[in-house]
Amino acid sequence: MFAQSLARSFQIHSGPVALGIGTRSVSWDKFGKVVPSIAKGLNMLGCKPGSRIAVLAGNSPEHLEMMYAISWAGCILVPLNNRLSTAELSVILADSESVALASDSKHYTVVKELLEKVDLSPTTIGLDENAYGDYKLSDLASQESSGAWLGTKSDIGALYYTGGTTGQPKGVMISNHSLLIQTLNIIQDLNINSKTRFLHAPPLFHLAGAGVAHACTFAGATQMFLPEYNPVTYLKEIARSQATLISLVPTMISDIFDQEDVNSFFQTVDTIVYGAAPITEQLLMKVLSKCPDVNLIQIYGQTECSGPCLILPPDRHVISGPLAGKLGSAGRANLTSEVRIANETGVELDRGIPGEILIRGPSTMSGYWKQETLTDETLENGWLHTGDIGIMDSDGFVTVVDRKKDMIVTGGENVFSSEVENVLANYPGVNYCAVIGVPDEKWGERVHAVVGITEGTNMELESVRSFCKKSIASYKCPQSLDCITDPLPISGVGKVRKDILREKYREGNLK
């Protein structure tokens, strides 16, 4: 399955640079030799098909090599979000019963603390020179190579823990077959080929980063990494490496397009892929105005569907002409996904009626690790219940209006927080915002806005409400307001942690 496609890539692709970081590079020949060797080393350490191997590292060639070695050996990858606390990581390590933990030198202290918190004694592997580990990656890579493990369609290839925006992490079981299907989808939808030069930005521990990495590897593209991400160095690296493809989450786009003369760094860029979190209309228009010649592709998906299921292609990123009018949507179903908008009982709704987005197809998860009840609740008759509220138009384009759990019910009326946020983002002086529902004695819930402003700026609730009333109904406008200068709490892929905000602003904690 997935490992066989890796073997095919190593067999047919050639060239001096498959992977690069700074001035250091890995050729296709070396890439194709080191992965099977590391896999053999993992087997010699006692890692067998089905064994879970956790990885805690920043983006690097070694990180990707370890991911592929795990697949080659028939083991199960457990990517660890490096933004989580050691307490949270210890829960994942224990729940997955990982037999090995690979990490880089940046996370030496974290790994040391983590191992003190768990009862497990996983074999530790250092990915670079000063990393924590019983063994070094270079030691494993010196082993004789082994053949790619031949799995079945149902064998689990990765265990992605998610749920950071809603509560306790859940282990999402992704089969090798689902990974393969999504990789082929991404190659087609992003037009990736051997001439593509991809500069990584989203973390490899997330499918937003790993999915494009897989597509590049299968298609023979060149992949480049940054030791540390920040918008200034990323822009410089785009120009230095002559990247043609970049993939960003909206928070990264916002930071990058706040830089001066940003379009001058995009001379070689053909395509910007964005997704993993909602994007405001204001930010999208800024990108279109500053880089009008760059193709934009939006992807919508979830960990539970192994990556993208909706695609908004470049020809729909227009504000005029016969193909205009879809810019606010997340796109249409990709080649292997069936999508419907349904009511609470799963019955499909008419076009234009909001309901839950359901997905069915070969890329959906196998289930939640050791959580059968939750699996049965989320996967019904093959349909994945995403928890997102969407509207499908007559052409099949889906607009995502909110998370089901983020919808606010005030005075019996449903308010989609994203709709309010899109209006609020255009208010003068607003740097960023989040809208949540907080308990209210009269209305049940009231619309509460958390707004990021520059220190010294004044913002009055009535002025904000008057501004919003020009675009949305009165009951949707913020009924309370908190102005902050600190960043909003966000997940590893830039999603606002509204669960944290709701806890903070519960009645009694409002400023």
Side-chain angles (χ1 to χ4, degrees):
M1 300 301 294
F2 190 83
Q4 278 65 57
S5 293
L6 274 179
R8 177 256 182 197
S9 290
F10 296 148
Q11 183 182 73
I12 71 167
H13 296 306
S14 61
V17 183
L19 313 174
I21 184 167
T23 57
R24 182 168 61 87
S25 63
V26 177
S27 69
W28 274 102
D29 181 63
K30 184 178 180 182
F31 194 19
K33 290 178 179 177
V34 73
V35 168
S37 295
I38 296 170
K40 180 69 171 181
L42 292 174
N43 292 150
M44 292 179 67
L45 293 179
C47 299
K48 302 174 182 178
S51 296
R52 275 77 64 200
I53 300 177
V55 180
L56 178 63
N59 286 358
S60 68
E62 291 79 13
H63 188 162
L64 193 62
E65 289 166 357
M66 174 55 74
M67 289 170 59
Y68 289 157
I70 291 170
S71 176
W72 195 279
C75 301
I76 298 174
L77 169 69
V78 183
L80 297 180
N81 183 339
N82 57 26
R83 298 188 62 163
L84 297 180
S85 67
T86 52
E88 292 168 311
L89 291 171
S90 67
V91 170
I92 295 172
L93 203 63
D95 185 67
S96 63
E97 300 176 75
S98 293
V99 300
L101 169 62
S103 62
D104 60 15
S105 55
K106 298 174 189 174
H107 297 90
Y108 184 97
T109 302
V110 175
V111 170
K112 191 174 181 180
E113 293 176 358
L114 175 59
L115 294 173
E116 292 172 355
K117 290 180 177 290
V118 294
D119 294 331
L120 300 172
S121 298
T123 300
T124 53
I125 302 165
L127 296 179
D128 54 26
E129 187 61 31
N130 297 311
Y132 189 103
D134 303 318
Y135 301 89
K136 298 297 182 187
L137 187 68
S138 56
D139 298 331
L140 303 187
S142 65
Q143 304 298 318
E144 293 183 4
S145 63
S146 61
W149 176 72
L150 182 61
T152 66
K153 290 176 66 174
S154 60
D155 288 326
I156 305 304
L159 195 56
Y160 280 87
Y161 278 80
T162 186
T165 60
T166 57
Q168 192 76 2
K170 309 177 289 288
V172 178
M173 297 186 289
I174 305 296
S175 70
N176 280 293
H177 182 243
S178 293
L179 284 173
L180 177 60
I181 290 293
Q182 279 292 31
T183 300
L184 298 178
N185 280 332
I186 294 171
I187 290 173
Q188 172 178 284
D189 292 330
L190 273 55
N191 193 29
I192 296 174
N193 55 58
S194 60
K195 295 181 180 179
T196 300
R197 296 177 62 82
F198 175 59
L199 179 59
H200 281 268
L204 285 173
F205 66 69
H206 191 276
L207 280 165
V212 183
H214 299 335
C216 287
T217 300
F218 282 22
T222 298
Q223 300 183 63
M224 297 160 291
F225 300 85
L226 271 180
E228 295 285 348
Y229 170 83
N230 70 64
V232 175
T233 56
Y234 190 76
L235 281 174
K236 291 179 179 178
E237 187 62 15
I238 289 174
R240 189 201 70 81
S241 63
Q242 297 186 314
T244 63
L245 172 67
I246 59 176
S247 176
L248 303 167
V249 298
T251 50
M252 292 176 173
I253 294 176
S254 179
D255 289 341
I256 285 173
F257 279 83
D258 279 342
Q259 307 302 312
E260 293 183 4
D261 199 24
V262 65
N263 61 316
S264 66
F265 295 94
F266 282 75
Q267 299 304 306
T268 61
V269 175
D270 295 325
T271 304
I272 300 174
V273 183
Y274 67 95
I279 190 169
T280 65
E281 180 182 349
Q282 182 185 37
L283 178 55
L284 194 53
M285 295 306 294
K286 181 189 287 189
V287 177
L288 286 169
S289 64
K290 289 192 174 185
C291 295
D293 297 325
V294 175
N295 291 320
L296 294 179
I297 299 175
Q298 179 179 184
I299 57 176
Y300 163 87
Q302 291 189 332
T303 304
E304 285 86 345
C305 56
S306 311
C309 61
L310 298 175
I311 302 291
L312 187 69
D315 62 359
R316 293 292 185 166
H317 281 82
V318 291
I319 57 177
S320 62
L323 296 180
K326 307 299 184 183
L327 200 53
S329 79
R332 290 191 281 200
N334 67 7
L335 192 62
T336 61
S337 297
E338 183 183 3
V339 178
R340 70 163 46 164
I341 308 298
N343 64 15
E344 292 183 354
T345 61
V347 176
E348 187 169 12
L349 296 169
D350 292 336
R351 302 294 174 94
I353 305 297
E356 186 175 8
I357 300 172
L358 308 187
I359 303 165
R360 183 166 65 180
S363 64
T364 55
M365 68 172 182
S366 302
Y368 291 112
W369 177 254
K370 297 191 290 189
Q371 296 194 53
E372 291 186 13
T373 300
L374 184 59
T375 297
D376 292 340
E377 292 172 354
T378 308
L379 287 173
E380 294 186 39
N381 299 318
W383 288 101
L384 171 68
H385 289 244
T386 66
D388 283 338
I389 303 297
I391 299 172
M392 183 182 290
D393 70 12
S394 58
D395 298 317
F397 286 84
V398 177
T399 299
V400 182
V401 295
D402 217 339
R403 283 290 295 168
K404 195 174 181 180
K405 294 180 180 179
D406 291 340
M407 188 174 70
I408 303 163
V409 182
T410 179
E413 298 282 2
N414 293 339
V415 176
F416 299 118
S417 60
S418 59
E419 182 183 10
V420 185
E421 289 162 353
N422 284 334
V423 173
L424 195 55
N426 291 304
Y427 185 85
V430 172
N431 297 329
Y432 47 85
C433 62
V435 171
I436 57 173
V438 296
D440 186 272
E441 185 175 347
K442 180 179 181 180
W443 302 107
E445 282 187 307
R446 71 174 176 274
V447 180
H448 179 72
V450 184
V451 177
I453 61 172
T454 303
E455 194 167 349
T457 302
N458 291 320
M459 196 170 293
E460 299 295 332
L461 175 61
E462 285 310 311
S463 176
V464 171
R465 282 181 57 81
S466 296
F467 177 85
C468 291
K469 284 179 183 178
K470 297 175 183 177
S471 302
I472 54 177
S474 177
Y475 69 85
K476 298 179 181 180
C477 298
Q479 296 162 289
S480 53
L481 173 71
D482 185 25
C483 296
I484 63 174
T485 55
D486 294 329
L488 292 168
I490 60 173
S491 69
V493 292
K495 293 182 180 179
V496 176
R497 290 286 306 272
K498 291 191 175 180
D499 58 321
I500 293 177
L501 290 178
R502 279 190 288 265
E503 177 67 23
K504 178 180 179 181
Y505 291 106
R506 280 193 305 183
E507 190 161 4
N509 291 333
L510 284 171
K511 294 182 179 179

